[in-house]
């Protein structure tokens, strides 16, 4: 497994969590890394991307102002604040085949196993 996602859990509305994605085989080098999520009964959606230089993009309007993404060598983190029940999902990190992010899952070569985030009301 190239990418190891961790940090999920069961929290209450308004709590914070930090998800981490560790890269064991240097797939992050010069590539963008994104977090996706899949909520029960819904399609997978991209949440945020950090490009190879550390620039970030939050794709989901519903998490803007609450989530931030950052990278440090072989780890990418997703800081999630003011969590809401609608954030409940399995979160996946993925390493792209390119230095800048893409919404398309097809642009991502390596995926983590997913970490469950459950936000209770």
């Amino acid at each position: 497994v190239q990418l190891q996602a961790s940090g999920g859990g069961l929290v209450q509305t308004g709590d914070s969590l930090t998800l981490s994605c560790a890269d064991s085989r240097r797939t992050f080098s010069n590539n963008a890394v994104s977090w996706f999520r899949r909520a029960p009964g819904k399609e997978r959606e991209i949440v945020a991307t950090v490009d190879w230089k550390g620039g970030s993009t939050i794709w989901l309007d519903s998490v803007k102002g609450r989530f931030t993404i950052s990278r440090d060598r072989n780890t990418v983190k997703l800081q999630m604040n003011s969590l809401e029940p609608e954030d409940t999902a399995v979160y996946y990190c993925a390493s792209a085949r390119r230095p800048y992010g893409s919404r398309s899952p097809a642009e991502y070569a390596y995926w983590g196993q997913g970490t469950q985030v459950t936000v209770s009301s």
Side-chain angles (χ1 to χ4, degrees), residues 14-92:
D15 286 349
S16 298
L17 279 175
T18 302
L19 305 184
S20 293
C21 182
D23 174 20
S24 62
R25 296 194 180 183
R26 299 186 179 182
T27 66
F28 289 176
S29 298
N30 300 322
N31 292 322
V33 179
S34 294
W35 284 95
F36 291 78
R37 72 183 186 185
R38 176 174 284 157
K42 295 186 177 180
E43 299 282 326
R44 177 175 49 188
E45 58 186 357
I46 188 168
V47 178
T49 298
V50 59
D51 65 38
W52 73 291
K53 290 186 176 181
S56 64
T57 300
I58 304 296
W59 298 98
L60 277 182
D61 287 341
S62 63
V63 307
K64 287 181 179 178
R66 300 190 293 120
F67 289 15
T68 57
I69 187 171
S70 62
R71 68 189 296 162
D72 180 17
R73 297 188 70 180
N74 296 326
T75 302
V76 171
K77 294 187 177 182
L78 184 68
Q79 177 66 43
M80 308 186 295
N81 298 325
S82 301
L83 283 162
E84 303 170 354
E86 293 74 21
D87 297 318
T88 294
V90 178
Y91 285 71
Y92 301 88

Side-chain angles (χ1 to χ4, degrees), residues 1 3-6 90-93 111-115:
V1 176
L3 305 184
Q4 185 70 38
S6 62
V90 178
Y91 285 71
Y92 301 88
C93 59
W111 291 80
Q113 82 285 8
T115 184

Side-chain angles (χ1 to χ4, degrees), residues 34 36 44 46 49 59 94-98 100-109 111:
S34 294
F36 291 78
R44 177 175 49 188
I46 188 168
T49 298
W59 298 98
S95 176
R97 297 186 179 92
R98 45 192 282 171
Y100 295 97
S102 169
R103 288 179 175 269
S104 172
E107 295 287 346
Y108 294 83
W111 291 80

